[in-house]
Coordinates of all heavy atoms in Angstrom, one line a residue:
M13 N 185.0 103.1 235.3 CA 186.2 103.0 236.1 C 186.0 102.1 237.3 O 186.8 101.2 237.5 CB 186.8 104.3 236.5 CG 187.2 105.2 235.5 SD 188.9 105.1 235.2 CE 189.2 106.3 234.0
R14 N 184.9 102.3 238.0 CA 184.7 101.6 239.2 C 184.5 100.1 238.9 O 185.1 99.2 239.6 CB 183.4 102.1 239.9 CG 183.1 101.3 241.2 CD 181.8 101.9 241.8 NE 181.5 101.2 243.0 CZ 180.7 100.1 243.2 NH1 180.3 99.5 242.1 NH2 180.5 99.6 244.3
W15 N 183.8 99.8 237.8 CA 183.6 98.4 237.4 C 184.9 97.7 237.1 O 185.2 96.6 237.5 CB 182.6 98.4 236.2 CG 182.5 97.2 235.5 CD1 182.3 96.0 235.9 CD2 182.5 97.1 234.0 NE1 182.2 95.1 234.9 CE2 182.3 95.7 233.7 CE3 182.6 98.0 233.0 CZ2 182.2 95.3 232.4 CZ3 182.6 97.5 231.7 CH2 182.4 96.2 231.4
Q16 N 185.8 98.4 236.4 CA 187.0 97.8 236.0 C 188.0 97.7 237.1 O 188.8 96.7 237.2 CB 187.6 98.5 234.8 CG 186.8 98.4 233.5 CD 186.7 96.9 233.1 OE1 187.6 96.2 232.9 NE2 185.4 96.5 233.0
V17 N 188.1 98.7 238.0 CA 189.0 98.6 239.1 C 188.5 97.5 240.1 O 189.4 96.8 240.6 CB 189.0 100.0 239.8 CG1 189.8 99.9 241.1 CG2 189.7 101.0 238.9
A18 N 187.2 97.4 240.3 CA 186.7 96.3 241.1 C 187.1 95.0 240.6 O 187.4 94.0 241.3 CB 185.2 96.5 241.3
S19 N 187.0 94.8 239.3 CA 187.3 93.5 238.7 C 188.8 93.2 238.6 O 189.2 92.1 238.4 CB 186.7 93.4 237.3 OG 187.4 94.3 236.4
A20 N 189.6 94.3 238.8 CA 191.1 94.1 238.7 C 191.6 93.5 240.0 O 192.8 93.0 240.1 CB 191.8 95.4 238.4
G21 N 190.8 93.5 241.1 CA 191.3 92.9 242.3 C 191.9 94.0 243.2 O 192.0 95.2 242.9
P22 N 192.4 93.5 244.4 CA 193.0 94.5 245.4 C 194.3 95.1 244.9 O 195.0 94.4 244.1 CB 193.2 93.6 246.6 CG 193.3 92.2 246.1 CD 192.4 92.2 244.9
L23 N 194.6 96.2 245.3 CA 195.9 96.9 245.0 C 197.0 96.2 245.7 O 197.0 95.9 246.9 CB 195.8 98.4 245.5 CG 197.0 99.2 245.2 CD1 197.2 99.4 243.7 CD2 196.9 100.6 245.9
P24 N 198.1 95.8 245.0 CA 199.2 95.1 245.6 C 199.9 96.0 246.6 O 199.8 97.2 246.6 CB 200.1 94.8 244.4 CG 199.2 94.8 243.2 CD 198.2 95.8 243.5
V25 N 200.6 95.3 247.5 CA 201.3 96.0 248.6 C 202.7 96.6 248.1 O 203.0 97.8 248.4 CB 201.6 95.1 249.8 CG1 202.4 95.8 250.9 CG2 200.3 94.6 250.3
D26 N 203.4 95.9 247.3 CA 204.7 96.3 246.8 C 204.6 97.3 245.7 O 203.6 97.3 244.9 CB 205.6 95.1 246.4 CG 205.0 94.4 245.2 OD1 203.8 94.1 245.3 OD2 205.7 94.0 244.3
M27 N 205.6 98.2 245.5 CA 205.6 99.2 244.5 C 205.6 98.7 243.1 O 204.8 99.2 242.3 CB 206.8 100.2 244.7 CG 206.8 101.4 243.8 SD 205.3 102.4 243.9 CE 205.6 103.2 245.4
S28 N 206.3 97.7 242.8 CA 206.3 97.1 241.5 C 205.0 96.5 241.1 O 204.5 96.6 240.0 CB 207.4 96.1 241.3 OG 207.2 95.0 242.2
G29 N 204.3 95.9 242.1 CA 203.0 95.4 241.9 C 202.0 96.5 241.6 O 201.1 96.4 240.8
K30 N 202.1 97.6 242.3 CA 201.3 98.8 242.1 C 201.4 99.3 240.7 O 200.5 99.7 240.1 CB 201.5 99.8 243.2 CG 201.0 99.5 244.6 CD 201.4 100.5 245.6 CE 200.9 100.1 246.9 NZ 201.2 101.0 248.0
I31 N 202.7 99.4 240.3 CA 202.9 100.0 238.9 C 202.3 99.0 237.9 O 201.7 99.5 236.9 CB 204.5 100.1 238.7 CG1 205.0 101.3 239.6 CG2 204.8 100.4 237.3 CD1 206.5 101.4 239.7
A32 N 202.5 97.7 238.0 CA 201.9 96.8 237.1 C 200.4 96.8 237.1 O 199.7 96.7 236.1 CB 202.4 95.4 237.4
Y33 N 199.8 97.0 238.3 CA 198.4 97.1 238.5 C 197.8 98.3 237.7 O 196.9 98.2 236.9 CB 198.1 97.2 240.0 CG 196.6 97.3 240.3 CD1 195.9 96.2 240.6 CD2 196.0 98.5 240.5 CE1 194.6 96.2 241.0 CE2 194.7 98.6 240.9 CZ 194.0 97.4 241.1 OH 192.6 97.5 241.5
V34 N 198.5 99.5 237.9 CA 198.0 100.7 237.2 C 198.2 100.6 235.7 O 197.4 100.9 234.9 CB 198.7 101.9 237.8 CG1 198.5 103.2 237.0 CG2 198.3 102.1 239.2
A35 N 199.4 100.0 235.3 CA 199.7 99.9 233.9 C 198.6 98.9 233.2 O 198.1 99.2 232.1 CB 201.1 99.3 233.7
H36 N 198.3 97.9 233.9 CA 197.2 97.0 233.4 C 195.9 97.7 233.2 O 195.2 97.5 232.2 CB 197.1 95.8 234.3 CG 196.0 94.8 233.9 ND1 196.0 94.0 232.9 CD2 194.7 94.7 234.5 CE1 194.9 93.3 232.8 NE2 194.1 93.7 233.7
L37 N 195.6 98.5 234.2 CA 194.3 99.3 234.1 C 194.4 100.3 233.0 O 193.4 100.6 232.3 CB 194.0 100.0 235.4 CG 193.5 99.1 236.5 CD1 193.4 99.9 237.8 CD2 192.1 98.6 236.1
L38 N 195.5 100.9 232.8 CA 195.6 102.0 231.7 C 195.5 101.4 230.3 O 195.2 102.2 229.4 CB 197.0 102.7 231.9 CG 197.0 103.7 233.1 CD1 198.4 104.3 233.2 CD2 196.0 104.8 232.9
I39 N 195.8 100.2 230.1 CA 195.6 99.6 228.8 C 194.3 98.9 228.6 O 193.9 98.4 227.5 CB 196.8 98.6 228.4 CG1 196.8 97.4 229.4 CG2 198.1 99.3 228.4 CD1 197.7 96.3 229.0
N40 N 193.5 98.9 229.7 CA 192.1 98.4 229.6 C 191.3 99.3 228.8 O 191.2 100.5 229.0 CB 191.6 98.2 231.0 CG 190.2 97.7 231.1 OD1 189.3 98.1 230.4 ND2 190.0 96.7 232.0
P41 N 190.6 98.8 227.7 CA 189.8 99.6 226.8 C 188.7 100.4 227.6 O 188.4 101.6 227.2 CB 189.1 98.6 225.9 CG 190.0 97.4 225.9 CD 190.6 97.4 227.3
W42 N 188.1 99.8 228.6 CA 187.0 100.5 229.3 C 187.6 101.7 230.1 O 187.0 102.8 230.2 CB 186.3 99.6 230.3 CG 185.5 98.6 229.6 CD1 185.7 97.3 229.4 CD2 184.2 98.8 228.9 NE1 184.7 96.7 228.6 CE2 183.8 97.6 228.4 CE3 183.4 99.9 228.8 CZ2 182.6 97.5 227.7 CZ3 182.2 99.8 228.1 CH2 181.8 98.6 227.6
V43 N 188.8 101.5 230.8 CA 189.4 102.6 231.5 C 189.9 103.6 230.5 O 189.7 104.8 230.8 CB 190.6 102.0 232.4 CG1 191.4 103.1 233.0 CG2 190.0 101.1 233.4
L44 N 190.5 103.2 229.5 CA 191.0 104.1 228.5 C 189.9 105.0 227.9 O 190.0 106.2 227.7 CB 191.7 103.4 227.3 CG 192.6 104.2 226.4 CD1 193.6 105.0 227.2 CD2 193.3 103.3 225.4
S45 N 188.7 104.4 227.6 CA 187.6 105.2 227.1 C 187.1 106.2 228.2 O 186.7 107.3 227.8 CB 186.4 104.2 226.7 OG 185.9 103.6 227.8
G46 N 187.2 105.9 229.4 CA 186.8 106.8 230.5 C 187.8 108.0 230.5 O 187.4 109.2 230.7
I47 N 189.1 107.7 230.3 CA 190.1 108.8 230.3 C 189.9 109.7 229.1 O 189.9 110.9 229.2 CB 191.5 108.2 230.3 CG1 191.8 107.5 231.7 CG2 192.6 109.2 230.0 CD1 193.0 106.6 231.7
I48 N 189.6 109.1 227.9 CA 189.3 109.8 226.7 C 188.1 110.7 226.9 O 188.0 111.9 226.5 CB 189.3 108.9 225.5 CG1 190.6 108.3 225.2 CG2 188.7 109.6 224.3 CD1 190.6 107.2 224.2
A49 N 187.0 110.1 227.5 CA 185.8 110.9 227.7 C 186.1 112.1 228.6 O 185.5 113.2 228.4 CB 184.7 110.0 228.3
T50 N 186.9 111.9 229.6 CA 187.3 113.0 230.5 C 188.0 114.1 229.8 O 187.8 115.3 230.0 CB 188.1 112.5 231.7 OG1 187.4 111.5 232.4 CG2 188.5 113.6 232.7
F51 N 188.9 113.7 228.9 CA 189.6 114.7 228.0 C 188.6 115.5 227.2 O 188.7 116.7 227.2 CB 190.6 113.9 227.1 CG 191.2 114.8 226.1 CD1 192.2 115.7 226.4 CD2 190.8 114.8 224.8 CE1 192.8 116.6 225.5 CE2 191.3 115.7 223.8 CZ 192.3 116.5 224.2
F52 N 187.6 114.8 226.6 CA 186.7 115.5 225.8 C 185.7 116.4 226.6 O 185.2 117.4 226.2 CB 185.9 114.6 224.9 CG 186.7 114.2 223.7 CD1 187.1 112.9 223.5 CD2 187.1 115.1 222.7 CE1 187.8 112.5 222.4 CE2 187.8 114.7 221.6 CZ 188.2 113.4 221.5
A53 N 185.5 116.0 227.9 CA 184.7 116.8 228.8 C 185.5 118.1 229.1 O 184.8 119.2 229.2 CB 184.4 116.0 230.1
G54 N 186.8 118.0 229.2 CA 187.6 119.2 229.4 C 187.5 120.1 228.2 O 187.4 121.4 228.3
I55 N 187.6 119.6 227.0 CA 187.4 120.4 225.8 C 186.0 121.0 225.7 O 185.9 122.2 225.4 CB 187.6 119.5 224.5 CG1 189.0 118.8 224.5 CG2 187.3 120.2 223.2 CD1 190.1 119.8 224.3
S56 N 185.0 120.3 226.1 CA 183.7 120.8 226.1 C 183.6 122.0 227.1 O 182.9 123.0 226.8 CB 182.6 119.8 226.5 OG 182.6 118.8 225.5
W57 N 184.2 121.9 228.2 CA 184.2 122.9 229.3 C 184.9 124.2 228.7 O 184.4 125.3 228.9 CB 184.9 122.4 230.5 CG 185.0 123.5 231.6 CD1 186.0 124.2 232.0 CD2 183.9 124.0 232.3 NE1 185.7 125.1 233.0 CE2 184.3 125.0 233.2 CE3 182.5 123.7 232.4 CZ2 183.5 125.7 234.1 CZ3 181.7 124.4 233.2 CH2 182.2 125.4 234.1
M58 N 186.0 124.0 228.0 CA 186.7 125.2 227.4 C 185.8 125.9 226.4 O 185.7 127.1 226.4 CB 188.0 124.8 226.8 CG 189.1 124.4 227.8 SD 190.7 124.2 227.0 CE 190.4 122.8 226.0
L59 N 185.1 125.1 225.6 CA 184.1 125.7 224.6 C 183.0 126.4 225.3 O 182.5 127.4 224.9 CB 183.6 124.6 223.7 CG 184.7 124.0 222.8 CD1 184.1 122.8 222.0 CD2 185.3 125.0 221.9
A60 N 182.5 125.8 226.4 CA 181.4 126.4 227.2 C 181.8 127.8 227.7 O 181.0 128.7 227.8 CB 180.9 125.5 228.3
M61 N 183.1 127.9 228.1 CA 183.6 129.1 228.7 C 183.7 130.2 227.6 O 183.7 131.4 228.0 CB 185.0 128.9 229.3 CG 185.1 128.1 230.5 SD 184.2 128.8 231.9 CE 182.5 128.1 231.7
T62 N 183.6 129.9 226.4 CA 183.6 130.9 225.3 C 182.2 131.5 225.2 O 182.0 132.6 224.6 CB 184.1 130.4 224.0 OG1 183.1 129.4 223.5 CG2 185.4 129.8 224.0
K63 N 181.2 130.8 225.7 CA 179.8 131.2 225.5 C 179.1 131.7 226.7 O 178.2 132.5 226.7 CB 178.9 130.0 225.0 CG 179.4 129.5 223.6 CD 179.0 130.5 222.5 CE 179.4 129.9 221.2 NZ 179.3 130.8 220.1
F64 N 179.6 131.3 227.9 CA 178.9 131.6 229.2 C 179.9 132.2 230.2 O 181.0 131.8 230.2 CB 178.2 130.4 229.8 CG 177.3 129.7 228.9 CD1 177.6 128.5 228.2 CD2 176.0 130.2 228.6 CE1 176.7 127.8 227.4 CE2 175.1 129.6 227.8 CZ 175.5 128.4 227.2
E65 N 179.4 133.0 231.1 CA 180.2 133.5 232.2 C 180.4 132.3 233.1 O 179.5 131.4 233.3 CB 179.5 134.6 232.9 CG 179.4 135.9 232.1 CD 178.7 137.0 232.9 OE1 178.4 136.8 234.1 OE2 178.4 138.0 232.3
I66 N 181.5 132.3 233.8 CA 181.8 131.1 234.7 C 180.8 131.1 235.8 O 180.5 130.0 236.3 CB 183.3 131.2 235.2 CG1 183.6 129.8 235.8 CG2 183.5 132.3 236.1 CD1 185.1 129.6 236.0
S67 N 180.4 132.2 236.3 CA 179.4 132.3 237.4 C 178.1 131.6 237.0 O 177.3 131.2 237.9 CB 179.2 133.7 237.9 OG 178.6 134.5 236.9
Y68 N 177.8 131.6 235.7 CA 176.6 130.9 235.2 C 176.8 129.4 235.0 O 176.0 128.6 235.3 CB 176.0 131.6 234.0 CG 174.8 130.9 233.4 CD1 173.6 131.1 233.9 CD2 175.0 130.0 232.3 CE1 172.5 130.4 233.4 CE2 173.9 129.4 231.8 CZ 172.6 129.6 232.3 OH 171.5 128.9 231.8
A69 N 177.9 129.1 234.3 CA 178.2 127.8 233.8 C 178.7 126.8 235.0 O 178.3 125.7 235.0 CB 179.2 127.8 232.7
Y70 N 179.5 127.3 235.9 CA 180.1 126.4 236.8 C 179.1 125.7 237.8 O 179.3 124.5 238.1 CB 181.1 127.2 237.7 CG 182.1 126.2 238.4 CD1 183.1 125.5 237.7 CD2 181.9 126.0 239.7 CE1 183.9 124.7 238.3 CE2 182.8 125.1 240.4 CZ 183.8 124.4 239.7 OH 184.6 123.5 240.3
P71 N 178.0 126.3 238.2 CA 177.1 125.6 239.0 C 176.6 124.3 238.4 O 176.2 123.3 239.0 CB 176.0 126.6 239.3 CG 176.6 127.9 239.2 CD 177.7 127.7 238.1
F72 N 176.5 124.3 237.0 CA 176.0 123.1 236.4 C 177.0 121.9 236.5 O 176.5 120.8 236.3 CB 175.7 123.4 234.9 CG 174.5 124.3 234.7 CD1 174.6 125.6 234.6 CD2 173.3 123.7 234.7 CE1 173.5 126.4 234.5 CE2 172.1 124.5 234.5 CZ 172.2 125.9 234.5
V73 N 178.2 122.2 236.9 CA 179.1 121.1 237.1 C 178.6 120.2 238.3 O 178.9 119.0 238.4 CB 180.6 121.6 237.4 CG1 181.5 120.6 237.9 CG2 181.1 122.3 236.2
S74 N 177.9 120.9 239.2 CA 177.3 120.2 240.4 C 176.3 119.1 239.9 O 176.0 118.2 240.7 CB 176.6 121.1 241.3 OG 177.6 122.1 241.8
L75 N 175.8 119.1 238.7 CA 175.0 118.1 238.3 C 175.7 116.7 238.2 O 175.0 115.7 238.2 CB 174.4 118.4 236.9 CG 173.3 119.5 236.9 CD1 172.9 119.8 235.4 CD2 172.1 119.1 237.7
N76 N 177.0 116.7 238.2 CA 177.8 115.5 238.2 C 177.4 114.7 239.5 O 177.4 113.5 239.4 CB 179.3 115.8 238.2 CG 179.7 116.1 236.8 OD1 179.2 115.7 235.8 ND2 180.7 117.0 236.7
Y77 N 177.2 115.3 240.6 CA 176.8 114.6 241.8 C 175.5 113.9 241.6 O 175.4 112.7 242.0 CB 176.7 115.6 243.0 CG 177.9 116.3 243.4 CD1 178.1 117.7 243.2 CD2 179.0 115.6 243.9 CE1 179.2 118.3 243.6 CE2 180.2 116.2 244.3 CZ 180.3 117.6 244.1 OH 181.4 118.2 244.5
I78 N 174.6 114.5 240.9 CA 173.3 113.8 240.6 C 173.5 112.6 239.7 O 173.0 111.6 239.9 CB 172.3 114.8 240.1 CG1 172.2 116.1 240.9 CG2 170.9 114.2 239.9 CD1 171.9 115.9 242.4
F79 N 174.2 112.9 238.6 CA 174.5 111.8 237.6 C 175.2 110.6 238.2 O 174.9 109.5 237.9 CB 175.2 112.4 236.4 CG 174.5 113.4 235.6 CD1 175.1 114.4 235.0 CD2 173.1 113.3 235.5 CE1 174.4 115.4 234.3 CE2 172.4 114.2 234.7 CZ 173.1 115.3 234.2
V80 N 176.2 110.9 239.1 CA 177.0 109.8 239.7 C 176.1 109.1 240.7 O 176.1 107.8 240.7 CB 178.2 110.4 240.4 CG1 178.8 109.3 241.3 CG2 179.2 110.9 239.4
L81 N 175.2 109.8 241.4 CA 174.3 109.1 242.3 C 173.3 108.2 241.6 O 173.1 107.0 242.0 CB 173.5 110.1 243.2 CG 172.5 109.6 244.2 CD1 173.3 108.9 245.3 CD2 171.6 110.7 244.7
M82 N 172.8 108.7 240.5 CA 171.9 107.9 239.7 C 172.6 106.7 239.0 O 172.0 105.6 239.0 CB 171.2 108.8 238.6 CG 170.2 109.8 239.2 SD 169.5 111.0 238.0 CE 169.6 110.3 236.4
A83 N 173.8 106.9 238.5 CA 174.5 105.8 237.9 C 174.9 104.8 238.9 O 174.8 103.6 238.7 CB 175.8 106.3 237.3
G84 N 175.3 105.2 240.1 CA 175.5 104.2 241.2 C 174.3 103.4 241.5 O 174.4 102.2 241.8
F85 N 173.2 104.0 241.5 CA 171.9 103.3 241.9 C 171.5 102.4 240.8 O 171.3 101.2 241.0 CB 170.8 104.4 242.1 CG 169.5 103.7 242.4 CD1 169.2 103.2 243.7 CD2 168.5 103.7 241.5 CE1 168.0 102.6 243.9 CE2 167.3 103.1 241.7 CZ 167.0 102.6 243.0
F86 N 171.5 102.9 239.5 CA 171.0 102.0 238.4 C 172.0 101.0 237.9 O 171.6 99.9 237.5 CB 170.5 102.9 237.3 CG 169.2 103.7 237.6 CD1 169.2 105.0 237.7 CD2 168.1 103.0 237.7 CE1 168.1 105.7 238.0 CE2 166.9 103.7 238.0 CZ 166.9 105.0 238.2
I87 N 173.3 101.4 237.9 CA 174.3 100.5 237.3 C 174.9 99.6 238.4 O 175.1 98.4 238.1 CB 175.4 101.3 236.6 CG1 174.7 102.1 235.4 CG2 176.5 100.4 236.1 CD1 175.7 103.1 234.8
F88 N 175.2 100.1 239.5 CA 176.0 99.3 240.5 C 175.1 98.9 241.7 O 175.6 98.4 242.7 CB 177.2 100.2 241.0 CG 178.1 100.5 239.9 CD1 178.3 101.8 239.5 CD2 178.9 99.5 239.3 CE1 179.2 102.1 238.5 CE2 179.8 99.8 238.3 CZ 179.9 101.1 237.9
N89 N 173.8 99.2 241.6 CA 172.9 98.8 242.7 C 173.2 99.3 244.1 O 173.1 98.7 245.1 CB 172.7 97.3 242.8 CG 172.1 96.7 241.5 OD1 171.2 97.2 240.9 ND2 172.7 95.6 241.0
E90 N 173.8 100.5 244.1 CA 174.1 101.2 245.4 C 172.9 101.8 246.0 O 171.9 102.1 245.3 CB 175.2 102.3 245.1 CG 176.5 101.7 244.7 CD 177.5 102.8 244.4 OE1 177.2 104.0 244.5 OE2 178.7 102.5 244.2
S91 N 172.9 101.9 247.3 CA 171.7 102.4 247.9 C 171.6 103.9 247.9 O 172.6 104.6 247.8 CB 171.7 102.0 249.4 OG 172.8 102.6 250.1
V92 N 170.4 104.4 247.9 CA 170.1 105.9 247.9 C 169.3 106.1 249.2 O 168.1 105.8 249.2 CB 169.4 106.4 246.6 CG1 169.1 107.8 246.8 CG2 170.2 106.1 245.4
S93 N 169.9 106.7 250.1 CA 169.2 107.0 251.4 C 168.4 108.3 251.2 O 168.6 109.1 250.3 CB 170.2 107.2 252.5 OG 171.0 108.3 252.3
I94 N 167.5 108.5 252.2 CA 166.7 109.8 252.2 C 167.7 111.0 252.3 O 167.4 112.0 251.7 CB 165.7 109.8 253.3 CG1 164.7 110.9 253.1 CG2 166.3 109.8 254.7 CD1 163.8 110.8 251.9
E95 N 168.8 110.9 253.0 CA 169.7 112.0 253.1 C 170.3 112.3 251.8 O 170.5 113.5 251.4 CB 170.8 111.6 254.2 CG 170.3 111.6 255.6 CD 169.8 110.2 256.0 OE1 169.8 109.3 255.1 OE2 169.4 110.0 257.1
K96 N 170.7 111.3 251.0 CA 171.3 111.5 249.7 C 170.3 112.1 248.8 O 170.6 113.0 248.0 CB 171.8 110.2 249.1 CG 173.1 109.6 249.8 CD 173.5 108.3 249.2 CE 174.6 107.7 249.9 NZ 175.0 106.4 249.3
F97 N 169.0 111.7 248.9 CA 168.0 112.2 248.0 C 167.7 113.7 248.3 O 167.6 114.5 247.4 CB 166.7 111.4 248.2 CG 165.6 111.9 247.3 CD1 165.6 111.5 246.0 CD2 164.6 112.7 247.8 CE1 164.5 112.0 245.1 CE2 163.6 113.1 247.0 CZ 163.5 112.8 245.6
I98 N 167.7 114.0 249.6 CA 167.5 115.4 250.0 C 168.6 116.3 249.6 O 168.5 117.4 249.1 CB 167.2 115.5 251.5 CG1 165.8 114.9 251.9 CG2 167.3 116.9 252.0 CD1 165.6 114.7 253.4
G99 N 169.9 115.7 249.8 CA 171.0 116.5 249.4 C 171.0 116.7 247.9 O 171.4 117.8 247.4
S100 N 170.6 115.8 247.1 CA 170.6 115.9 245.7 C 169.5 117.0 245.3 O 169.7 117.8 244.4 CB 170.2 114.6 245.0 OG 171.3 113.7 245.2
A101 N 168.4 116.9 246.0 CA 167.4 117.9 245.7 C 167.9 119.3 246.0 O 167.6 120.3 245.3 CB 166.1 117.6 246.5
L102 N 168.6 119.5 247.1 CA 169.2 120.8 247.4 C 170.2 121.2 246.4 O 170.2 122.4 246.1 CB 169.8 120.7 248.8 CG 168.9 120.6 250.0 CD1 169.7 120.3 251.3 CD2 168.0 121.8 250.1
V103 N 171.0 120.3 245.9 CA 171.9 120.7 244.8 C 171.2 121.2 243.6 O 171.5 122.2 243.0 CB 172.8 119.5 244.4 CG1 173.6 119.7 243.1 CG2 173.8 119.1 245.6
V104 N 170.1 120.5 243.2 CA 169.3 120.9 242.0 C 168.7 122.3 242.3 O 168.7 123.1 241.4 CB 168.3 119.8 241.6 CG1 167.3 120.3 240.6 CG2 169.0 118.6 241.1
L105 N 168.1 122.4 243.5 CA 167.5 123.7 243.8 C 168.6 124.8 243.8 O 168.3 125.9 243.3 CB 166.9 123.6 245.2 CG 166.2 124.9 245.7 CD1 165.0 125.2 244.9 CD2 165.8 124.7 247.2
G106 N 169.8 124.5 244.3 CA 170.8 125.5 244.2 C 171.2 125.9 242.8 O 171.5 127.1 242.5
I107 N 171.3 124.9 241.9 CA 171.6 125.2 240.6 C 170.5 126.1 239.9 O 170.8 127.1 239.2 CB 171.8 123.9 239.8 CG1 173.0 123.2 240.2 CG2 171.9 124.2 238.3 CD1 173.1 121.8 239.7
I108 N 169.3 125.8 240.2 CA 168.2 126.6 239.7 C 168.3 128.0 240.2 O 168.1 129.0 239.4 CB 166.8 126.0 240.0 CG1 166.6 124.6 239.3 CG2 165.6 126.9 239.7 CD1 165.5 123.8 239.8
V109 N 168.5 128.2 241.5 CA 168.6 129.6 242.0 C 169.8 130.3 241.4 O 169.6 131.5 241.0 CB 168.8 129.5 243.6 CG1 169.1 130.8 244.2 CG2 167.5 129.0 244.2
L110 N 170.9 129.7 241.3 CA 172.1 130.3 240.7 C 171.9 130.7 239.2 O 172.3 131.7 238.7 CB 173.3 129.5 240.9 CG 173.9 129.4 242.3 CD1 175.0 128.3 242.4 CD2 174.5 130.8 242.7
A111 N 171.2 129.8 238.5 CA 171.0 130.0 237.1 C 170.0 131.2 236.8 O 170.2 131.9 235.9 CB 170.5 128.7 236.4
K112 N 169.1 131.3 237.7 CA 168.1 132.4 237.6 C 168.7 133.8 238.0 O 168.2 134.8 237.6 CB 166.9 132.1 238.4 CG 166.2 130.9 238.0 CD 164.9 131.2 237.3 CE 164.2 129.9 237.0 NZ 163.4 130.0 235.8
G113 N 169.7 133.7 238.9 CA 170.3 135.0 239.5 C 171.3 135.5 238.6 O 171.7 136.4 238.2

């Protein structure tokens, strides 16, 4: 999404321009595939809820923060500060503690 939104240019000021901008993004195959992937992630979540208690499964959603940080670094060349690294380590540690408890 970030890649395609960045390549689409700035958001227009007028309302009709905004509608056209969003419509153009919604027919973009890359954006559409992201929307479809999000849909299937929701389906996967519902299936996971049939197997695990929410108090066990939900902390693993926090792994998204780690995956997004890594994707930003490797795909978009975004910087990873020591603060972001420590925060990520704390998230992983929290997930481990919650999963064991």
Side-chain angles (χ1 to χ4, degrees):
M13 294 268 185
R14 179 181 184 270
W15 167 46
Q16 292 303 303
V17 171
S19 69
L23 183 66
V25 177
D26 61 316
M27 184 55 76
S28 62
K30 289 178 182 177
I31 292 170
Y33 181 89
V34 170
H36 175 73
L37 284 172
L38 287 175
I39 61 171
N40 180 310
W42 291 104
V43 173
L44 194 55
S45 67
I47 292 168
I48 291 168
T50 301
F51 172 77
F52 283 114
I55 298 293
S56 298
W57 179 252
M58 287 189 296
L59 294 174
M61 290 297 93
T62 67
K63 299 287 183 188
F64 304 104
E65 292 181 7
I66 194 165
S67 62
Y68 175 80
Y70 197 75
F72 288 94
V73 173
S74 300
L75 287 174
N76 284 328
Y77 295 114
I78 309 304
F79 295 144
V80 168
L81 182 69
M82 289 173 24
F85 178 75
F86 288 112
I87 298 171
F88 299 112
N89 297 318
E90 294 180 353
S91 65
V92 176
S93 65
I94 190 69
E95 292 87 357
K96 290 178 183 177
F97 182 78
I98 292 170
S100 297
L102 289 171
V103 168
V104 171
L105 181 64
I107 292 169
I108 292 169
V109 168
L110 286 169
K112 299 253 183 207

